[in-house]
Amino acid sequence: MPLARGAAGTLLLAAVGSWVSSPRDGGVTRDAAGAALLVYEREAEGNRDLYVVPAAGGTPRRLTTHPATDGLPRWTADASAVVFTSNRTKNWQLWSVPAGGGEPSRVRTNRHTEWQADESPDGRKLAFLSNQDGPEVLWLLERGTGAERALVRHGERPTLGNPHWSRDGSRIVFSSNWRRGHQIYVIEAAGGEAKRISPGGGCEPRFSPDGRKVAYVGRRPSRDRSQILEHDLAAGQERVLVDWPALNYDPVYSPDGSEIAFASTIGGGYEIYRQRLADGRAWRVTFAGGDARYPDYRPARR
């Protein structure tokens, strides 16, 4: 569904009945470090790389330039670097690149498929997926010592996804196809039984900054349309955050919890959008063309 341009540089999303404002209209939150930044992956001319852009809009800065596929970026806890997944070695492995740009380095070196990493808020651990034992497992890696621990094992043919730490470092949310189709689970980082929280299936979960809620993608109501839902962990209740007539994916909360960023096909291909939670007002962030996905807000400095 195309976006129709309205007055004062705004973009009217007629099919949704809400306004999607251009970046220059303002309304962006600011973190303690200054301008809010988003890292994301974008495909351009058949190549997928990482980019950084102000959440308020502007010229994206290319962060990686390798001809291989670079994607699934996550800021490190101190915002000094971005951890990402790449097949530069002909196999999916974990890499890190300085936030200001430079030569990426490998997080680990092996022959396994390892990807979808998220660093703990204290910067000491990395949650990631690996098939080093055969089936895909959610692992925790001690960044300082290299010690590792299997946290979640879900059968012989599991498909896990998108681990994310709560800000206090006590829990990890992730998705898994364990027994009931793809669902959202929360587990204590210290170990124990993972608890399913999604009533109807979902993927790509993210904790809210206060740890009380989880935003995730629900494939409702059809194959060519998805919603972004928010699950209240204490009440067990859910509300719909995004229900545009499109594929809406990759939600992430801003550091202050006032908005989310996500990818949507509402304008054709995937582009990055922001939406304020207080009133549902949304802004389009990327305009360069080529699918843009998996945004992640730079952490606020504390």
Side-chain angles (χ1 to χ4, degrees):
M1 180 66 64
L3 293 165
R5 187 163 296 276
T10 57
L11 296 172
L12 177 60
L13 190 57
V16 181
S18 61
W19 287 90
V20 178
S21 305
S22 69
R24 63 176 174 273
D25 288 331
V28 65
T29 59
R30 301 285 178 176
D31 64 27
L37 293 179
L38 289 166
V39 65
Y40 64 100
E41 68 173 65
R42 182 170 74 86
E43 186 173 346
E45 298 178 351
N47 196 50
R48 191 175 304 170
D49 285 297
L50 307 186
Y51 294 78
V52 175
V53 68
T59 302
R61 173 171 58 87
R62 192 170 178 175
L63 197 56
T64 63
T65 59
H66 199 278
T69 295
D70 297 336
L72 301 169
R74 297 282 178 94
W75 291 96
T76 56
D78 63 3
S80 67
V82 173
V83 177
F84 65 99
T85 301
S86 179
N87 63 352
R88 296 165 180 240
T89 58
K90 310 303 180 184
N91 191 25
W92 296 113
Q93 291 272 276
L94 300 177
W95 292 73
S96 178
V97 61
E103 188 65 26
S105 59
R106 295 181 72 168
V107 174
R108 285 157 59 91
T109 301
N110 55 51
R111 298 180 179 180
H112 312 302
T113 295
E114 300 192 335
W115 63 333
Q116 297 194 35
D118 189 54
E119 190 174 81
S120 61
D122 62 9
R124 296 179 180 178
K125 298 181 180 68
L126 198 69
F128 66 100
L129 306 180
S130 174
N131 67 352
Q132 60 181 299
D133 281 353
E136 188 169 72
V137 170
L138 173 55
W139 290 82
L140 298 185
L141 172 72
E142 293 283 349
R143 296 282 261 159
T145 66
E148 57 188 17
R149 171 169 59 94
L151 183 64
V152 176
R153 298 181 184 273
H154 273 183
E156 294 302 315
R157 289 188 172 183
T159 300
L160 306 179
N162 304 98
H164 182 237
W165 293 83
S166 60
R167 182 173 284 184
D168 64 3
S170 66
R171 294 164 295 163
I172 295 174
V173 65
F174 65 99
S175 65
S176 173
N177 65 347
W178 177 242
R179 293 179 177 171
R180 297 177 61 96
H182 224 71
Q183 303 282 348
I184 308 300
Y185 293 84
V186 173
I187 189 170
E188 296 292 324
E193 188 73 20
K195 177 185 177 182
R196 181 173 65 88
I197 65 169
S198 54
C203 61
E204 298 182 355
R206 290 289 195 108
F207 277 111
S208 62
D210 61 10
R212 298 176 180 177
K213 299 172 183 177
V214 171
Y216 70 94
V217 177
R219 289 302 298 268
R220 311 168 187 166
S222 65
R223 294 181 62 183
D224 58 355
R225 182 173 178 174
S226 58
Q227 296 175 322
I228 295 178
L229 309 174
E230 183 178 67
H231 183 92
D232 186 303
L233 292 169
Q237 298 176 344
E238 297 198 327
R239 66 167 176 155
V240 177
L241 299 182
V242 179
D243 191 23
W244 297 355
L247 292 174
N248 307 295
Y249 273 89
D250 319 324
V252 57
Y253 289 93
S254 61
D256 65 4
S258 66
E259 64 182 42
I260 60 170
F262 59 99
S264 177
T265 61
I266 192 66
Y270 279 105
E271 297 286 357
I272 306 299
Y273 296 82
R274 299 164 37 237
Q275 179 168 293
R276 193 161 56 200
L277 297 180
D279 57 11
R281 189 181 183 191
W283 293 264
R284 181 171 169 177
V285 178
T286 60
F287 291 83
D291 282 348
R293 292 198 60 179
Y294 301 107
D296 194 41
Y297 284 92
R298 181 180 64 178
R301 294 177 183 172
R302 288 181 269 173

